[in-house]
Amino acid sequence: MSASEQKRVLRERLRAMPIKDAAKADQKIVTHVSALLAEQPAEKPLVLGAYWPIAGEVDCRPMLAGLVGHYTLSLPVVMASDAPLIFREWRADQPLV
């Protein structure tokens, strides 16, 4: 199975997952990532790339809210459909455009 076919199948499974189960899965992932971040040395500031979820992706926004002020957070910007993503710094008080 090609990589694009695997992605398509995974997206279909995520969309079919009951909301209750998806929320539990999201929380497990957020808990795991939060634990990994807690292990990072405090003296080394980290820049974290994140995203706003679409089409059944894991919703990490609750975790991001807790990271504001502790890390530099960045979100991807799509400049063109065939171009690499560019990450720009994001703050909670900034609108998404």
Side-chain angles (χ1 to χ4, degrees), residues 1 10 14 22 33 39 54 61 63 66-67 73 75 80 85 90:
M1 183 181 306
L10 180 57
L14 288 171
V33 171
E39 295 174 3
I54 58 171
R61 291 175 295 177
M63 179 182 66
L67 298 175
L73 303 174
L75 295 174
L85 292 175
W90 171 81

Side-chain angles (χ1 to χ4, degrees), residues 34-95:
S34 295
L36 290 173
L37 291 173
E39 295 174 3
Q40 297 301 311
E43 69 276 358
K44 283 193 168 185
L46 293 177
V47 176
L48 300 176
Y51 61 90
W52 250 229
I54 58 171
E57 294 174 332
V58 173
D59 188 354
C60 61
R61 291 175 295 177
M63 179 182 66
L64 295 180
L67 298 175
V68 170
H70 302 285
Y71 299 94
T72 299
L73 303 174
S74 60
L75 295 174
V77 177
V78 178
M79 301 305 285
S81 61
D82 59 345
L85 292 175
I86 295 173
F87 282 79
R88 299 265 167 88
E89 184 176 353
W90 171 81
R91 285 182 236 124
D93 61 346
Q94 290 179 326

